Amino acid sequence: MARPKKWRKVCCLPASSQFGPFDVETEQDHFVTMNIEEYETIRLIDLEGLTQEDCAKQMDIARTTVQGIYNDARKKLAESLVLGKRLRIEGGNYKLCESDGKPCRGCGCRKRRALMMDSSDT
């Protein structure tokens, strides 16, 4: 029997779930789909400046797993940018970090969520 997949810890969902050129056709082959875990690795490593090791600790997974997820995410970003495809962010095997009722381990997700809520009001 296959080993069950481990849930990946994610701080917050993206404010927008689609990016890219909106003047292209909406056929399935004009989309690239990135899952939430891939989005989270891009956010943590590229935006927050974490190392892959720190990202792995944050998401409660192995560093080698983060490396694979991050590489897949970068390939999808490149495909979207270079080939002019829309990027959709959806699905995956994740849990929001505060879903268990415990505060996050210093990742700042509460502050980030508050900022996102404030910016959506304007």
Side-chain angles (χ1 to χ4, degrees):
M1 177 162 46
R3 182 176 161 204
K5 283 195 168 197
K6 186 174 181 181
W7 292 100
R8 283 87 186 254
K9 193 172 176 183
V10 171
C11 286
C12 55
L13 299 175
S16 298
S17 63
Q18 286 195 26
F19 302 90
F22 289 99
D23 58 346
V24 297
E25 299 174 31
T26 57
E27 296 174 18
Q28 191 64 23
D29 60 337
H30 290 279
F31 283 95
V32 176
T33 303
M34 176 184 286
N35 65 38
I36 301 296
E37 302 100 271
E38 292 166 337
Y39 164 82
E40 184 73 349
T41 61
I42 292 290
R43 187 186 70 76
L44 291 173
I45 295 170
D46 292 334
L47 185 65
E48 300 291 330
L50 270 60
T51 63
Q52 288 183 6
E53 189 172 337
D54 290 337
C55 178
K57 288 176 188 174
Q58 184 70 38
M59 294 179 71
D60 281 339
I61 55 177
R63 189 206 51 81
T64 53
T65 304
V66 165
Q67 185 176 22
I69 294 170
Y70 181 64
N71 288 339
D72 291 344
R74 290 181 62 198
K75 184 174 180 172
K76 290 175 182 180
L77 283 174
E79 186 178 350
S80 176
L81 289 171
V82 174
L83 301 178
K85 294 184 176 185
R86 269 194 232 178
L87 178 69
R88 279 193 290 210
I89 303 173
E90 61 186 20
N93 193 33
Y94 68 95
K95 285 186 180 180
L96 289 174
C97 64
E98 292 186 314
S99 63
D100 60 359
K102 297 177 190 171
C104 198
R105 289 184 294 190
C107 70
C109 62
R110 287 185 181 163
K111 180 180 176 183
R112 196 168 24 262
R113 285 182 186 146
L115 289 172
M116 288 173 62
M117 295 298 262
D118 288 344
S119 67
S120 66
D121 291 340
T122 56

